[in-house]
Amino acid sequence: RHGLTGCYHVIGKTTEKLEVSLRNHGKQVFWSATPVLRSVWQETSYQLENLQANPVCIAQEQETCFQRVGSPYTLSFIPRPTSFEIISADNKPKVAILREEGSNGDKEMAVSFYLAGFEPWDVTMSDIISSRISLEIFQGIAFVGGFSYADVLDAGKGWAGSVRFNSKAVHEFHKFYNRPDTFSLGVCNGCQVMALLGWVPWSGIELAKQPRFIRNTSSRFESRMPAVKIFDSPAVMLQGMAGSILPAIVAHGEGRFHAPDYQIFSQIIDLNLAPIRFVDDNGQETETYPFNPNGSPFGITALCDPTGRHLAFMEHPERLTLLWQWPYPPEEWQLLQSSPWLHMFQNAYQWCMAK
């Protein structure tokens, strides 16, 4: 078309066959199965990873690498944008976007709640401890992600300690948690905090038996986008989403679910309080790395309480509430008018308006 005839040569073409074939004047000079060449190409990376992470996880990743067929994303609902009337309303439910020293993700979280119809407030722990603000005016709290106190005391422990060991904070959070018209969401670091505070799976569990999130089986920080499946549960923010398999942003070093007491673990399963789990390419909950990047049993990556008002989630839905944030949306989802993850925040708004 541009008059370059004779200046280019076709040297090859793609094929659906798992092979690489080179020919010279019709004579085959090289042939190999693609997985063999990929394994040679990636061997150096795997050797380096063996020095940096748990070799058992690296072996699992190496073994499953050539069996991937693509994530089985599916939707059980139709995502819709929030109406202009809701976003522009004068009287909106207030949600505290709560942060502590070292936390981040508060801007994405605030935008996600705003796009669902909330009035987000920027609130710090020092605001609460110094009584500059009270949680009485809020219907929701969002514990944001990040690395509070640089995770020096283990993930979330410093933040949880700033609540547990301050009488004003304990009183404020206790009143908020027990009000029947409130809800809370914790993501990543905030998820760890909610577990350490005993907000999920339910309050009153002995500290030594309290389920929590600990160091990844891979022994390293994981930054990935695995697939998660939403299961039936009481969780207010997940209503109408059960059966959906969605991509999720993982960014943590301590996200492995750990329940020290087997009886409590059994109750969590029986009461459907583990509403989000990692799944493999077949859509089955999994403990195999890297489909499950932290090694959680049954792929568990979220907890809710029996009332459904409090949800702790190790991944970052607030980083995918706008479609342009998605690194790779399935082709058939290109025409969606709204991100599926926004539905979580819209659910919270509808619940608040019904109260």
Side-chain angles (χ1 to χ4, degrees), residues 9-13 21-23:
H9 302 277
V10 177
I11 62 172
K13 61 181 180 180
S21 176
L22 301 181
R23 293 177 177 272

Side-chain angles (χ1 to χ4, degrees), residues 90-103:
D90 292 329
N91 296 317
K92 302 179 180 181
K94 296 180 177 63
V95 58
I97 310 301
L98 189 63
R99 57 189 174 91
E100 178 58 290
E101 180 182 345
S103 61

Side-chain angles (χ1 to χ4, degrees), residues 317-347:
E318 80 284 3
R319 294 184 183 178
L320 293 173
T321 50
L322 295 167
L323 283 172
W324 60 259
Q325 293 174 303
W326 290 49
Y328 172 72
E331 186 174 352
E332 61 271 22
W333 292 9
Q334 300 281 353
L335 298 179
L336 290 180
Q337 297 181 338
S338 177
S339 167
W341 282 118
L342 180 61
H343 198 69
M344 276 183 57
F345 302 91
Q346 293 169 327
N347 275 340

Side-chain angles (χ1 to χ4, degrees), residues 39-74:
S39 65
V40 173
W41 173 260
Q42 294 173 191
E43 184 60 27
T44 301
S45 295
Y46 285 131
Q47 290 298 329
L48 288 171
E49 286 190 314
N50 272 320
L51 300 175
Q52 300 169 341
N54 185 340
V56 174
C57 293
I58 304 309
Q60 288 181 350
E61 183 172 26
Q62 193 170 15
E63 181 179 347
T64 59
C65 178
F66 306 125
Q67 303 168 10
R68 299 297 306 267
V69 295
S71 296
Y73 300 146
T74 184

Side-chain angles (χ1 to χ4, degrees), residues 11-290:
I11 62 172
K13 61 181 180 180
T14 57
T15 173
E16 292 185 359
K17 296 179 180 179
L18 293 177
E19 63 181 30
V20 174
S21 176
L22 301 181
R23 293 177 177 272
N24 184 24
H25 296 293
K27 181 182 178 181
Q28 189 171 63
V29 295
F30 177 83
W31 183 94
S32 178
T34 307
V36 173
L37 295 178
R38 286 186 63 190
S39 65
V40 173
W41 173 260
Q42 294 173 191
E43 184 60 27
T44 301
S45 295
Y46 285 131
Q47 290 298 329
L48 288 171
E49 286 190 314
N50 272 320
L51 300 175
Q52 300 169 341
N54 185 340
V56 174
C57 293
I58 304 309
Q60 288 181 350
E61 183 172 26
Q62 193 170 15
E63 181 179 347
T64 59
C65 178
F66 306 125
Q67 303 168 10
R68 299 297 306 267
V69 295
S71 296
Y73 300 146
T74 184
L75 281 174
S76 60
F77 63 99
I78 300 176
R80 301 188 187 281
T82 307
S83 69
F84 176 77
E85 289 74 19
I86 289 177
I87 292 181
S88 60
D90 292 329
N91 296 317
K92 302 179 180 181
K94 296 180 177 63
V95 58
I97 310 301
L98 189 63
R99 57 189 174 91
E100 178 58 290
E101 180 182 345
S103 61
N104 56 48
D106 47 294
K107 296 295 188 295
E108 297 97 321
M109 187 69 77
V111 168
S112 298
F113 275 103
Y114 174 81
L115 291 174
F118 283 91
E119 181 182 307
W121 286 48
D122 178 36
V123 180
T124 66
M125 282 300 303
S126 61
D127 289 332
I128 296 172
I129 292 172
S130 63
S131 299
R132 283 194 296 267
I133 197 167
S134 171
L135 295 178
E136 290 181 353
I137 67 173
F138 299 106
Q139 269 195 273
I141 285 181
F143 297 84
V144 303
F147 307 93
S148 57
Y149 294 102
D151 286 350
V152 170
L153 304 172
D154 288 342
K157 282 190 177 179
W159 190 348
S162 68
V163 176
R164 280 184 173 274
F165 303 119
N166 184 280
S167 58
K168 289 183 180 179
V170 166
H171 181 65
E172 282 284 338
F173 282 93
H174 180 75
K175 284 198 305 180
F176 181 90
Y177 181 83
N178 287 293
R179 274 170 46 199
D181 65 334
T182 62
F183 75 93
S184 66
L185 170 67
V187 301
C188 197
N189 203 210
C191 170
Q192 297 156 344
V193 172
M194 285 184 67
L196 291 171
L197 290 178
W199 281 29
V200 288
W202 55 80
S203 63
I205 297 176
E206 182 184 341
L207 192 57
K209 298 180 179 180
Q210 173 64 40
R212 52 192 182 274
F213 297 87
I214 61 175
R215 187 169 175 79
N216 297 344
T217 301
S218 65
S219 300
R220 66 176 175 184
F221 181 86
E222 295 289 340
S223 180
R224 297 178 180 268
M225 195 176 76
V228 297
K229 184 175 182 179
I230 301 173
F231 289 76
D232 282 318
S233 75
V236 167
M237 297 187 75
L238 300 177
Q239 293 307 298
M241 300 175 69
S244 295
I245 298 178
L246 304 173
I249 299 294
V250 166
H252 59 248
E254 298 178 69
R256 175 162 56 97
F257 174 67
H258 172 60
D261 185 89
Y262 181 76
Q263 186 174 5
I264 292 176
F265 179 82
S266 297
Q267 286 182 270
I268 290 172
I269 301 300
D270 293 341
L271 296 174
N272 299 322
L273 303 184
I276 307 178
R277 307 185 193 183
F278 293 116
V279 294
D280 58 23
D281 285 351
N282 296 314
Q284 301 299 312
E285 59 189 61
T286 183
E287 298 177 12
T288 302
Y289 185 89

